[in-house]
Amino acid sequence: MASVTFESASRIYPGVDEPAVRDLSLAVEDGEFLVLVGPSGCGKSTSLRMLAGLEPVDRGSIRIGSTNVERVPPKDRDVAMVFQNYALYPHMTVEANIGFALKLSGVGRHERAERVRAVARMLDLETYLKRRPGTLSGGQRQRVAMGRAIVRQPKVFLMDEPLSNLDAKMRVETRAQIASLQRRLGTTTVYVTHDQVEAMTMGDRVAVLKQGVLQQVDTPVRLYARPANVFVAGFIGSPAMNVLEMQLGAEGAQLGDFRLAVPPEVIGADRAPTVYVGFRPESVMIGDSHGLRLRVEVVEELGADAFAHCRMVGNEDSDLLIVRVSPRTPPRRGDVIDVNVATKDLHFFSSTNGDRLNFNGAGG
């Protein structure tokens, strides 16, 4: 096992002005499960490929343990990669697929068989060892791909969107299996996904990227409670955080007839006349006649939860706001509801650069 360190690492593709990854500085601790997450094109897969040696580092450096690996060939980096498309050999049995890398590296037949059987037991694949990948389900094939990586006993696991080809139910089951397996093995793991729910449920820490730039890296709990900027606030959380742009004055923030108290640290922190105010759908209190008046457009009834998608009364062109409502007595389309949010649950961001302004509230 080993730590992984990106030091101002950048990748600039030929013919493109903007780096795919810009000055990425990130330390992954020995044995840690770190998730890289962000929208398509944010540079997360490129970062993983740079670490694997499949993409060059144009500026900066990458270390695995104490070794700078910029000039180390991929096969000598002692990393194992699990791909989105499984990359299994269709003509080989499961047993041969799992043990193929060991065969290439000269591991003897007896030891190879023992290691393959041990991994198969770990992944509940023992009964499938003589079958070929084409006869397996997507989840089973993904476990075979995992087994092929595990059997090598590498320093670092690299996983690039490994669950994206699975259906929703299988994704939930498999991500739990991967997270549990990583905890048992204790192998340093860097995992790429565009699914923020997947990121939040699997990672010890989560690194959020946007357009090749690292926005924030922290534990899932702190990312949710204390997003560093508007982008992270809107990307992390399902449903996403609601964000309103409000006029900022000495007495607080105002949008139409709706007024909010603003913490002293926010007043004067930014010279802009407006401020972004964010609140989570579950933070609202419904029924306050002095709150924000919303007209319900759609209600999502999800069993244990229900969410109303609303627009501000008197501002029908406003962005949709989402609030959690009672699943037993949800409002109907067209209803008007009054909502308010406790000051401690509000997030304030600069309307100039999107950075967080209140560091003493909203999550402590």
Side-chain angles (χ1 to χ4, degrees), residues 80-194:
M81 197 157 182
V82 180
F83 296 93
Q84 176 180 340
N85 62 358
Y86 318 134
L88 302 176
Y89 296 107
H91 63 287
M92 292 184 180
T93 64
V94 168
E95 182 177 24
N97 265 281
I98 294 175
F100 187 65
L102 298 181
K103 183 177 181 180
L104 287 181
S105 61
V107 176
R109 178 177 297 184
H110 180 69
E111 181 184 349
R112 188 165 71 239
E114 284 188 347
R115 286 169 64 173
V116 168
R117 283 196 297 271
V119 167
R121 282 195 298 272
M122 187 183 300
L123 296 171
D124 196 22
L125 290 171
E126 286 182 284
T127 58
Y128 305 103
L129 286 174
K130 300 304 179 183
R131 292 171 59 173
R132 287 182 168 81
T135 67
L136 305 179
S137 69
Q140 290 165 341
R141 277 179 279 175
Q142 191 55 272
R143 297 211 305 274
V144 175
M146 285 287 298
R148 187 177 53 191
I150 293 167
V151 79
R152 292 175 52 192
Q153 300 172 351
K155 290 180 179 177
V156 182
F157 289 140
L158 308 179
M159 302 189 188
D160 191 6
E161 303 266 13
L163 307 184
S164 59
N165 288 336
L166 304 181
D167 61 44
K169 182 175 183 294
M170 186 61 69
R171 277 202 306 272
V172 172
E173 293 177 358
T174 308
R175 77 189 186 205
Q177 291 170 350
I178 290 175
S180 175
L181 187 61
Q182 193 275 339
R183 304 295 190 271
R184 287 168 56 192
L185 296 171
T187 304
T188 306
T189 301
V190 183
Y191 185 106
V192 161
T193 181
H194 66 277

Side-chain angles (χ1 to χ4, degrees), residues 300-331:
E300 289 183 295
E301 298 185 60
L302 306 175
D305 270 320
F307 294 94
H309 296 243
C310 314
R311 295 193 193 274
M312 294 175 57
V313 172
N315 187 1
E316 306 304 328
D317 294 328
S318 65
D319 292 337
L320 281 171
L321 299 174
I322 303 175
V323 299
R324 187 164 69 183
V325 295
S326 168
R328 294 185 177 181
T329 56

Side-chain angles (χ1 to χ4, degrees), residues 250-327:
E251 297 182 357
Q254 183 169 345
L255 181 60
D257 295 329
F258 179 57
R259 292 180 175 82
L260 280 176
V262 175
E265 64 198 275
V266 174
I267 301 292
D270 198 11
R271 294 184 178 180
T274 61
V275 65
Y276 290 131
V277 181
F279 60 92
R280 297 284 182 192
E282 65 272 21
S283 297
V284 301
M285 297 171 287
I286 297 176
D288 187 339
S289 59
H290 300 291
L292 185 63
R293 304 209 79 197
L294 303 177
R295 189 180 307 280
V296 177
E297 292 204 352
V298 175
V299 178
E300 289 183 295
E301 298 185 60
L302 306 175
D305 270 320
F307 294 94
H309 296 243
C310 314
R311 295 193 193 274
M312 294 175 57
V313 172
N315 187 1
E316 306 304 328
D317 294 328
S318 65
D319 292 337
L320 281 171
L321 299 174
I322 303 175
V323 299
R324 187 164 69 183
V325 295
S326 168

Side-chain angles (χ1 to χ4, degrees), residues 203-230:
D204 297 320
R205 286 189 304 153
V206 178
V208 183
L209 282 81
K210 174 189 177 186
Q211 297 178 345
V213 178
L214 179 64
Q215 303 294 304
Q216 185 176 359
V217 56
D218 215 326
T219 63
V221 169
R222 283 189 60 83
L223 271 182
Y224 186 83
R226 301 292 296 275
N229 55 42
V230 168

